[in-house]
Amino acid sequence: MNNFLLLPIIIPFFFGMILMFGQKNLTYQRSFSLLGIGLAFISAISLLLKVKQDGIQKVTFGNWPVPYGITMVSDMVSVLLVTTTLLIAFFVVWYGFGSITKERERFFYYPGIMFILTGVNGAFTTGDIFNLFVFFEVLLMASYLLIVLGGEKGQLKGSIKYILINVISSALFVITVAFLYSVVGTLNMADIAVKIAEINQPGIITVIAVLFLMVFGLKAAIFPLYFWLPTSYAAAPIPVLTLFGALLTKVGVYAITRTYTLFFVHDLSYTHDLLMVLAIATIVAGCIGALAYFDVKLIIIYNIVIAVGVILFGVSQMNEVSLKGAMFYLIHDMLIKAALFMLIGIVIYITGTSDLRKMGGLMKKYPALGWCYLIAAFGLAGIPPLSGFVGKLLIVQGGFEAGSMWSSIFILASSLLVLLSVIRIFLYAFWGEEKETHGSVDKSVYKMLFMPTALLVLITVAYGVGSEWITPFMDDAAKLLTDPSIYIDAVMKGD
């Protein structure tokens, strides 16, 4: 048993509980939230190195034999996502010191973040399909708190749609898990893979695979199930929007990736072709939304939808190159979306509006902010050697190898539309004539917002420029996704 892999889940949960007390003491709330995330991040880094050196780690609660107990599994895919999640959370909390209002900080804002991290990291780590539902519910309950925190009219309007959609999705999730259990008689993911291989995925399993795609697709915001995302996310305060945009849809993407590479792998001509079609449609819908609006929040939110499509296209190709690209791009998108939301948060703070048509000339007073935004925008679009380039190149290469030539060319072409959508923000907000800003800008608050944002942008640059250092980890993740037997053997036959 290796209880060490539970630390990135247990530490945020423990700190979430102690932060329930002392709500009025902001120093206590801020310092303990950063301390908790910092300790969890250190444990995640240690776990990442252990998985790299010793292979997949697992623990089964109660020391029951697999598959009878609830198993937690840390492989290269999950540990990379857990580490990235905690890194982003650290910067979001730091950024929030200058962005979130003190009234919100004093009303369970920090415990909400900690419990979201508990749910996200648990979902990435669990080896049990029903436990995946449980961790989904943990992160959703915490997200319900954060999305309504402050009680503004727009928030309440957006939150109603968000809560209703997730309640329906959760009910469908339980029903689909029940269908799967009735056919295979197990909930352990590795054992599910074994049982489905034994019966060679009959038609009923393919139907269940499509149902899971609907469930996870609703959470990941794929076409046509993304309709709830823009208005729900746009209503939240910037730090909460950053956390949601960087993390929550990625849990849905991870769930599709895990199930569609581990056990729904015997009817690729149907399940994965359907996934490819939906991925391309998701990119088209995201591009239309990103180009149609003048609201900076909505432009970046629709870019979340585009990225989900790109990642899932890589997953649908089911070869090692495309899956390696999907992992590269998934981590890139988590980092770059967090950086971009933080950057537009600063722009909104300075101008007092999210409407591009009311902005202009910020480059004269805030050149560092302008350059940071431009670098992040180029990174999002995949301009070499920045972070989006390597992942997208591998996904396209994998698409060509799988024979999806025209689809792969479309993925490349979509980069131009992504670049156009984010460059519009630069041209409107930073270029042109300087326009009046709403109220005075507090320099100390600006610095508090800019420092974590600039550091995160530098990390995204390092991720792209230093991609050769990351490649060995991505190779391990891609091999694991390509060959399900590695995961199955480690869980079913491991100590």
Side-chain angles (χ1 to χ4, degrees):
M1 288 213 334
N2 182 10
N3 293 313
F4 185 66
L5 68 90
L6 299 175
L7 286 180
I9 305 166
I10 292 172
I11 292 172
F13 182 69
F14 172 75
F15 276 87
M17 288 192 296
I18 65 171
L19 286 167
M20 296 285 282
F21 305 97
Q23 285 298 309
K24 303 300 179 186
N25 189 336
L26 285 186
T27 304
Y28 165 77
Q29 291 285 318
R30 290 177 173 184
S31 56
F32 270 82
S33 59
L34 283 181
L35 176 63
I37 294 170
L39 290 173
F41 179 68
I42 291 167
S43 70
I45 290 288
S46 304
L47 182 60
L48 176 66
L49 297 175
K50 186 168 181 62
V51 169
K52 178 63 182 164
Q53 183 178 341
D54 301 333
I56 296 171
Q57 304 295 303
K58 68 154 188 171
V59 59
T60 304
F61 297 144
N63 213 18
W64 284 79
V66 177
Y68 301 107
I70 294 173
T71 305
M72 304 296 284
V73 184
S74 188
D75 58 15
M76 190 53 74
V77 175
S78 67
V79 75
L80 281 169
L81 293 171
V82 165
T83 306
T84 308
T85 294
L86 291 164
L87 177 66
I88 289 168
F90 184 86
F91 283 101
V92 169
V93 169
W94 181 10
Y95 178 89
F97 296 163
S99 177
I100 204 83
T101 60
K102 290 182 179 178
E103 290 76 17
R104 287 188 172 106
E105 283 187 282
R106 291 192 176 102
F107 200 79
F108 302 102
Y109 167 70
Y110 294 107
I113 288 177
M114 290 299 172
F115 291 133
I116 275 191
L117 294 179
T118 303
V120 170
N121 289 344
F124 288 147
T125 309
T126 185
D128 181 283
I129 193 74
F130 185 77
N131 227 29
L132 180 62
F133 163 75
V134 172
F135 281 115
F136 260 118
E137 291 309 295
V138 171
L139 72 90
L140 285 173
M141 283 188 285
S143 71
Y144 298 155
L145 164 69
L146 292 180
I147 202 167
V148 299
L149 201 58
E152 294 174 4
K153 185 179 178 181
Q155 284 180 265
L156 295 173
K157 185 179 176 182
S159 66
I160 290 169
K161 186 186 290 185
Y162 178 77
I163 292 169
L164 282 175
I165 287 297
N166 280 293
V167 166
I168 294 167
S169 173
S170 296
L172 187 58
F173 195 169
V174 174
I175 293 166
T176 308
V177 169
F179 283 157
L180 182 62
Y181 183 76
S182 70
V183 176
V184 297
T186 183
L187 294 171
N188 182 283
M189 290 189 193
D191 198 34
I192 290 170
V194 172
K195 296 288 195 297
I196 290 177
E198 287 173 356
I199 58 178
N200 198 29
Q201 190 161 333
I204 185 63
I205 294 291
T206 301
V207 172
I208 291 168
V210 174
L211 285 174
F212 269 116
L213 183 58
M214 287 175 60
V215 170
F216 298 139
L218 201 53
K219 296 181 185 297
I222 68 171
F223 180 87
L225 306 172
Y226 69 95
F227 60 89
W228 60 271
L229 183 79
T231 51
S232 297
Y233 277 19
I238 288 293
V240 175
L241 170 57
T242 304
L243 201 67
F244 285 15
L247 302 182
L248 296 197
T249 52
K250 306 308 181 293
V251 182
V253 169
Y254 163 79
I256 293 172
T257 303
R258 178 66 79 190
T259 54
Y260 270 59
T261 57
L262 181 59
F263 42 84
F264 297 131
V265 292
H266 303 283
D267 191 9
L268 299 183
S269 62
Y270 188 88
T271 54
H272 289 61
D273 282 359
L274 175 63
L275 181 60
M276 182 178 74
V277 169
L278 291 177
I280 293 168
T282 302
I283 296 169
V284 172
C287 287
I288 292 169
L291 294 172
Y293 288 95
F294 282 92
D295 187 297
V296 288
K297 287 184 183 179
L298 289 174
I299 291 170
I300 306 300
I301 287 169
Y302 273 104
N303 271 286
I304 296 173
V305 178
I306 297 171
V308 166
V310 172
I311 296 161
L312 292 180
F313 176 82
V315 173
S316 71
Q317 301 309 295
M318 282 299 284
N319 56 54
E320 192 169 323
V321 176
S322 67
L323 289 167
K324 181 179 172 183
M327 275 303 299
F328 250 115
Y329 202 84
L330 178 55
I331 303 294
H332 143 78
D333 194 63
M334 292 169 76
L335 293 168
I336 204 73
K337 286 299 189 306
L340 280 166
F341 279 121
M342 289 160 72
L343 283 161
I344 65 166
I346 301 175
V347 171
I348 292 169
Y349 170 70
I350 293 168
T351 60
T353 180
S354 61
D355 189 337
L356 280 179
R357 291 164 293 193
K358 298 177 182 177
M359 300 177 186
L362 292 181
M363 200 70 176
K364 294 172 186 175
K365 283 188 179 178
Y366 305 96
L369 178 65
W371 285 113
C372 275
Y373 177 82
L374 195 60
I375 291 167
F378 285 159
L380 179 70
I383 304 295
L386 298 173
S387 57
F389 172 70
V390 177
K392 191 166 280 189
L393 183 68
L394 288 169
I395 288 171
V396 170
Q397 184 184 337
F400 280 125
E401 287 184 12
S404 305
M405 186 178 72
W406 291 110
S407 302
S408 301
I409 291 170
F410 172 75
I411 298 292
L412 273 179
S414 70
S415 297
L416 296 174
L417 298 178
V418 170
L419 182 62
L420 177 61
S421 71
V422 287
I423 285 297
R424 280 172 70 224
I425 297 178
F426 182 78
L427 294 176
Y428 272 87
F430 292 95
W431 221 244
E433 291 183 12
E434 196 171 350
K435 295 186 179 179
E436 284 187 26
T437 56
H438 180 73
S440 59
V441 176
D442 188 325
K443 288 185 179 180
S444 62
V445 172
Y446 172 75
K447 286 179 182 177
M448 197 181 293
L449 295 173
F450 183 71
M451 282 181 64
T453 306
L455 280 173
L456 189 55
V457 171
L458 285 174
I459 288 171
T460 67
V461 172
Y463 180 75
V465 174
S467 57
E468 67 273 12
W469 299 99
I470 315 291
T471 298
F473 298 95
M474 296 299 174
D475 284 337
D476 288 356
K479 284 172 187 170
L480 183 82
L481 293 172
T482 310
D483 184 1
S485 64
I486 299 172
Y487 181 95
I488 295 165
D489 291 345
V491 175
M492 301 296 290
K493 301 174 186 176
D495 296 326

